[in-house]
Amino acid sequence: MDEISCEVRFGRYGGRFVPETLVQPLVELAEAFERLRADPEFSGELSKLMRDFAGRPTPLYRAENLSRAIGRDVYLKREDLLHGGAHKINNTLGQGLLAKYMKKKRLIAETGAGQHGVATAIVGALLGFETEIYMGEVDIERQRMNVYRMELLGARVIPVRSGSRTLKDAINEALRDWAASYESTHYLLGTVAGPHPYPSIVREFQRVIGDETKSQILAEEKRLPDSIVACVGGGSNAMGIFTPFIEDDVRLIAVEAGGRGQGMGTHSAEHGASLAFGDPGVLHGAMTKILQDPYGQILESYSIAAGLDYPGVGPELAHLVETGRVETATAGDKTAIMGFKALSKLEGIIPALESAHAVGYAIEHPEMLGELSVINISGRGDKDLHTVIAYESV
Amino acid sequence: MNLSEVFRRCKPLIVYICAGDPSPDETVEIAERIVRAGADVLELGLPHSDPIADGPVIQAASQRAIAAGMNTDLYFDIASRIDGVPKVFMGYYNMVYRRGLDRFASDCKASGICGMIVPDLPVEESRPLREAASRHGIDLINMIAPNTPDKRILEIISLSSGFVYLVARSGVTGASADLQESTRHLIERVPPVIPRAVGFGVSRPEHAAELVRAGADGVIVGSACVDLIGRSELDQLEDLIRRMKRAMTEVSVKSAASIRQS
């Protein structure tokens, strides 16, 4: 009681820093997850949905042209080919089914750019939930199309007007909702952040990316890659692909949003690089690395990729970086745009601006990749065309 | 006067305000008016950018205060200028952690604060702060919610000092029209081995009276007062506190009389 058990912590990070009202719902969620992941009926149903509905397994594609251009053998893990256009569906299907088995009637979720909101709305429609998505007012303005998508899928989008009116405030608002609605409602958190058990649940639903990658690369190359590169906002696609390789001799590189530079203003930072530039602290229920001012107020982050625009990061990643197992790197807006265009031209694949950070980094730093590398293409870039057009016209 | 003494003397009315709202300069004067109106304990909030346990009224106050330049140094400066009432800190863990647990507890002591409420620090996570607070003679006040199981209530109580904060209803802070049956039930479920103060949703004199009748040892009012401060209605603020205190005292006097009669 006095100390929570060690599996909820990752070194000094993680934990469950939440109001007392949320403790019991989180305990019940952790118990349900432990029970159901061992239940063959649950895992059978989830695998079937992953295959027939989401489109798993995704290809591991040997990018010949990119490989030639940078002089390294590079494979792309094609999460962009999933239903919904990103890896987010792995987690929303998993948690949606979990909520169904827990007999919840309603899903709530936060969303920044709208990708997790759309993935939640898809699962809400599929499994018959009432679905409500919290989204910052500023983000609603920036992402009209995704708002419409969510509504089309039957979800209600609730504008968040508090704080900075972006992703971090949408999470606050979802937590507040859940504190009053937990009996009927599951909070479907979208990344490996938040209080225990979310970092573990989301990691386990996303690790399918890494599990597939491992067997695919072994089948193709008869060996493990020298490196894996993934972008990190909250860290769900990175933890998904890294997790099965933690014990292996593979370099794991987490690329954060370098944004416009390393500066930090009074209320905001010019980047989203919590692992690289953050300090330990508590945000959204977990001890992790966060962007904060000298008094502990949370700073607003910045990135051209909305999915990397978050002032915190998953606690397990903070731990893996502290122990030296995962290396951090940053790629700024400019590098991301370069990666976005390069992959489009070289391979005929338009990556999400988030994934483009990993691509851009790999192109600029081939020496970090070793001979054989895998880049996680966590999503497709159709959603980002207007952002890139706007960036170009400045 | 420490918190145990306060609860020995009366069933206190505990009033929350957000330090720095509307501005750091005005907080001391507002606190003085609250004390004059009859508040027994002042719960002085340190505003945070991400107050996950708070409803819209306290969120808005926190934003106003931060925009007005409020910070932790100013907080302790303000706290040390408020006299004549026991003071309790209320704030989120990151603000405490960032300053350093021991330094924070020591600053509390130096500015006359006798207790700490940290709403996002459940008991499992509280040992480091509990130890720091105890080194400086500060009570760390734990919260108990309507969904806290009985066994956990006993464990929370065993790790509490000063008083326990009973959360009247699920959800976040903010005024509500009526008290729920579950609140009465919660008071019954918490054994009276430590004073039990009830907050969340308390906004009217009749709520306060009802809680005292239901067995609460103290009543905490926040959003209703913060709302009046936000509208600069300080006379109404004093009036509300006066009426709440009176309503609570009347219940206490009546129940004392009925005990004498029986």
Side-chain angles (χ1 to χ4, degrees):
Chain A
M1 167 72 180
D2 196 20
E3 296 290 314
I4 42 187
S5 59
C6 54
E7 61 267 34
V8 320
R9 290 201 182 276
F10 311 100
R12 62 167 158 159
Y13 297 109
R16 198 170 55 203
F17 295 84
V18 293
E20 176 66 19
T21 311
L22 285 176
V23 170
Q24 206 51 32
L26 288 167
V27 167
E28 284 166 20
L29 178 61
E31 285 168 0
F33 176 64
E34 286 308 321
R35 191 177 67 243
L36 288 168
R37 65 192 292 202
D39 175 349
E41 192 192 326
F42 177 85
S43 40
E45 198 174 343
L46 182 57
S47 310
K48 194 168 177 336
L49 286 171
M50 287 283 210
R51 186 189 67 206
D52 300 340
F53 185 74
R56 299 217 74 93
T58 59
L60 182 70
Y61 170 69
R62 188 185 164 90
E64 295 289 354
N65 301 332
L66 177 63
S67 296
R68 239 190 329 274
I70 63 175
R72 299 289 189 284
D73 290 338
V74 178
Y75 280 79
L76 306 177
K77 181 58 176 164
R78 299 290 310 275
E79 294 297 292
D80 57 310
L81 294 175
L82 285 171
H83 178 43
H87 73 292
K88 292 289 182 190
I89 192 91
N90 301 329
N91 172 49
T92 57
L93 271 179
Q95 283 195 51
L97 204 57
L98 191 61
K100 192 178 135 189
Y101 275 67
M102 289 177 80
K103 306 214 171 0
K104 304 288 182 185
K105 304 275 173 251
R106 176 174 171 258
L107 296 178
I108 53 171
E110 79 293 343
T111 199
Q115 292 306 108
H116 173 59
V118 169
T120 302
I122 288 171
V123 168
L126 174 75
L127 300 177
F129 288 102
E130 178 195 349
T131 306
E132 298 195 294
I133 310 290
Y134 286 96
M135 188 169 185
E137 222 173 27
V138 171
D139 291 329
I140 287 179
E141 265 321 299
R142 292 195 283 210
Q143 302 287 340
R144 282 263 145 229
M145 205 60 93
N146 271 341
V147 173
Y148 184 70
R149 264 188 202 114
M150 287 183 266
E151 289 170 349
L152 194 61
L153 292 158
R156 194 162 80 89
V157 178
I158 304 174
V160 175
R161 301 193 171 88
S162 57
S164 58
R165 297 176 291 140
T166 60
L167 175 61
K168 92 177 166 62
D169 307 280
I171 298 178
N172 292 338
E173 214 49 58
L175 286 168
R176 291 178 187 122
D177 180 317
W178 202 40
S181 65
Y182 55 84
E183 282 179 357
S184 67
T185 300
H186 174 66
Y187 175 24
L188 209 166
L189 189 69
T191 190
V192 287
H196 173 74
Y198 284 107
S200 305
I201 289 182
V202 179
R203 177 198 64 215
E204 289 306 306
F205 286 136
Q206 290 291 1
R207 70 171 287 162
V208 63
I209 308 173
D211 288 332
E212 283 177 13
T213 301
K214 200 171 201 172
S215 55
Q216 289 165 324
I217 196 89
L218 285 173
E220 281 299 313
E221 295 284 337
K222 312 283 178 275
R223 72 168 183 106
L224 294 179
D226 297 316
S227 65
I228 299 175
V229 186
C231 65
V232 171
S236 70
N237 89 80
M239 282 309 298
I241 197 166
F242 289 169
T243 295
F245 294 92
I246 297 283
E247 304 296 326
D248 299 318
D249 185 20
V250 176
R251 211 163 175 178
L252 305 174
I253 304 172
V255 183
E256 294 186 289
R260 290 181 286 244
Q262 294 184 12
M264 288 205 207
T266 320
H267 299 296
S268 60
E270 295 291 311
H271 56 81
S274 327
L275 288 171
F277 307 125
D279 291 314
V282 169
L283 175 64
H284 298 140
M287 177 71 70
T288 185
K289 293 279 277 288
I290 57 182
L291 303 177
Q292 53 183 325
D293 82 359
Y295 293 105
Q297 308 289 12
I298 311 305
L299 299 177
E300 285 168 43
S301 52
Y302 164 78
S303 170
I304 192 168
L308 305 186
D309 193 353
Y310 179 58
V313 67
E316 190 170 11
L317 266 171
H319 172 63
L320 290 169
V321 167
E322 199 156 277
T323 59
R325 180 61 194 94
V326 170
E327 298 167 54
T328 60
T330 54
D333 290 358
K334 230 170 151 175
T335 302
I337 295 280
M338 180 274 288
F340 182 85
K341 291 181 168 175
L343 200 67
S344 302
K345 286 218 173 73
L346 284 168
E347 299 290 347
I349 296 168
I350 304 174
L353 270 177
E354 289 78 10
S355 326
H357 282 73
V359 175
Y361 171 81
I363 293 174
E364 283 180 358
H365 299 280
E367 76 284 357
M368 301 296 283
L369 306 180
E371 294 299 315
L372 178 63
S373 183
V374 176
I375 304 173
N376 196 15
I377 306 300
S378 54
R380 67 170 182 234
D382 309 52
K383 67 180 177 64
D384 296 314
L385 297 181
H386 68 283
T387 307
V388 177
I389 293 167
Y391 181 87
E392 298 285 271
S393 66
V394 174
Chain B
M1 188 158 43
N2 68 30
L3 290 169
S4 309
E5 285 170 50
V6 174
F7 281 91
R8 259 201 302 279
R9 284 185 194 195
C10 69
K11 291 184 185 284
L13 174 63
I14 301 167
V15 177
Y16 168 92
I17 59 170
C18 175
D21 171 42
S23 72
D25 286 339
E26 285 159 278
T27 298
V28 176
E29 192 208 320
I30 291 169
E32 280 163 359
R33 292 184 71 155
I34 287 170
V35 174
R36 203 160 57 213
D40 302 296
V41 174
L42 182 71
E43 184 189 334
L44 193 60
L46 172 61
H48 183 43
S49 53
D50 295 74
I52 55 171
D54 285 302
V57 170
I58 293 177
Q59 287 173 43
S62 305
Q63 278 179 263
R64 284 194 298 267
I66 292 168
M70 192 59 201
N71 64 42
T72 313
D73 297 326
L74 281 172
Y75 177 88
F76 286 116
D77 178 52
I78 288 169
S80 60
R81 283 158 54 204
I82 299 168
D83 284 327
V85 64
K87 291 165 288 186
V88 170
F89 161 84
M90 185 278 177
Y92 288 83
Y93 191 54
N94 196 50
M95 301 294 287
V96 180
Y97 183 81
R98 184 72 158 161
R99 194 172 187 85
L101 305 185
D102 195 77
R103 181 179 170 205
F104 204 99
S106 150
D107 286 343
C108 281
K109 187 71 186 172
S111 55
I113 288 169
C114 55
M116 297 177 76
I117 300 170
V118 185
D120 59 344
L121 191 69
V123 276
E124 297 87 346
E125 305 284 2
S126 72
R127 192 159 83 179
L129 183 59
R130 202 164 61 237
E131 287 170 356
S134 140
R135 272 196 296 279
H136 295 278
I138 309 276
D139 293 318
L140 181 61
I141 293 141
N142 291 310
M143 296 175 118
I144 293 175
N147 62 355
T148 306
D150 288 339
K151 182 165 167 275
R152 186 177 162 85
I153 288 178
L154 296 180
E155 288 163 336
I156 291 174
I157 287 177
S158 75
L159 295 169
S160 295
S161 64
F163 65 93
V164 285
Y165 188 136
L166 273 49
V167 177
R169 55 167 168 75
S170 54
V172 293
T173 59
S176 54
D178 291 302
L179 290 173
Q180 296 170 0
E181 193 49 45
S182 59
T183 309
R184 230 179 302 273
H185 184 55
L186 179 60
I187 298 171
E188 285 164 15
R189 288 204 297 132
V190 181
V193 293
I194 182 167
R196 303 151 308 164
V198 183
F200 275 49
V202 181
S203 59
R204 297 178 186 172
E206 53 271 31
H207 294 162
E210 224 179 304
L211 287 172
V212 172
R213 260 195 300 272
D217 301 303
V219 172
I220 305 165
V221 57
S223 297
C225 297
V226 173
D227 187 42
L228 291 170
I229 293 169
R231 291 192 270 127
S232 307
E233 292 177 348
L234 299 186
D235 292 339
Q236 285 90 324
L237 173 67
E238 276 193 54
D239 184 54
L240 175 66
I241 291 166
R242 222 170 262 129
R243 287 188 296 122
M244 284 189 121
K245 182 63 190 170
R246 198 184 308 131
M248 290 168 67
T249 313
E250 277 167 12
V251 176
S252 303
V253 169
K254 269 185 208 154
S255 62
S258 71
I259 290 166
R260 272 197 301 275
Q261 274 170 8
S262 60

